[in-house]
Amino acid sequence: MYKRILVATDGSALSKKAVASAIELAATCGAELVTLKVVPRYPQAYFEGSIPLSTEEISRIETQWTESAQVQLAAVEKAAKAKGVVSKMVTVKSDVVSDAIIAAAKKQKADLIVMASHGRKGIKRLLLGSETQQVLTHSHIPVLVLR
């Protein structure tokens, strides 16, 4: 059915459930699992009262975020291996998570994207946005959303 499944994770408890489901689905289908973590770039805003950081400090922070992502992805890879699933870790730097997920799915030739949804409604959804909704709206690859 599926040959390559991309699962996006942010390390939250909810996304860990989506990862576990993606591993089970990959094991059932005999599919490869591509685990994606999108790492943001450090925001460089110069608002009144903000403290601008040096280029070296920003680089250190971004490196720390990337290393943290690698630790999260390694845990997923270990869980996948325990279920007999071949997996691949991908880290992408981007400020627009939904675009990064869609681009990574295309690049990795995934035939399914698995994501979690927080199910926010009303003002919370308006203020916080919905990366899952953006992926659902713009992806040409099927998306499995878990709540």
Side-chain angles (χ1 to χ4, degrees), residues 31-139:
E32 178 183 355
L33 185 70
V34 178
T35 308
L36 174 69
K37 171 73 173 164
V38 180
V39 179
R41 291 186 174 90
Y42 190 84
Q44 296 185 10
Y46 299 101
F47 297 110
E48 186 175 326
S50 68
I51 301 171
L53 297 177
S54 68
T55 306
E56 294 81 21
E57 187 65 15
I58 290 170
S59 177
R60 186 191 64 75
I61 291 168
E62 287 181 344
T63 299
Q64 184 179 3
W65 288 346
T66 302
E67 288 171 357
S68 175
Q70 291 300 317
V71 170
Q72 290 175 8
L73 293 177
V76 173
E77 187 174 45
K78 183 178 178 182
K81 190 174 186 177
K83 295 282 186 175
V85 174
V86 174
S87 66
K88 179 179 183 178
M89 303 184 315
V90 177
T91 305
V92 176
K93 284 187 180 181
S94 179
D95 293 326
V96 184
V97 175
S98 58
D99 289 350
I101 292 169
I102 293 168
K106 285 180 187 174
K107 184 176 180 180
Q108 299 297 322
K109 296 179 175 53
D111 46 15
L112 178 69
I113 299 170
V114 177
M115 298 180 68
S117 175
H118 292 281
R120 293 184 183 106
K121 294 181 181 176
I123 195 73
K124 282 186 178 180
R125 180 167 178 231
L126 181 65
L127 293 174
L128 298 174
S130 172
E131 298 301 336
T132 304
Q133 182 64 41
Q134 291 297 316
V135 173
L136 278 168
T137 303
H138 299 291
S139 177

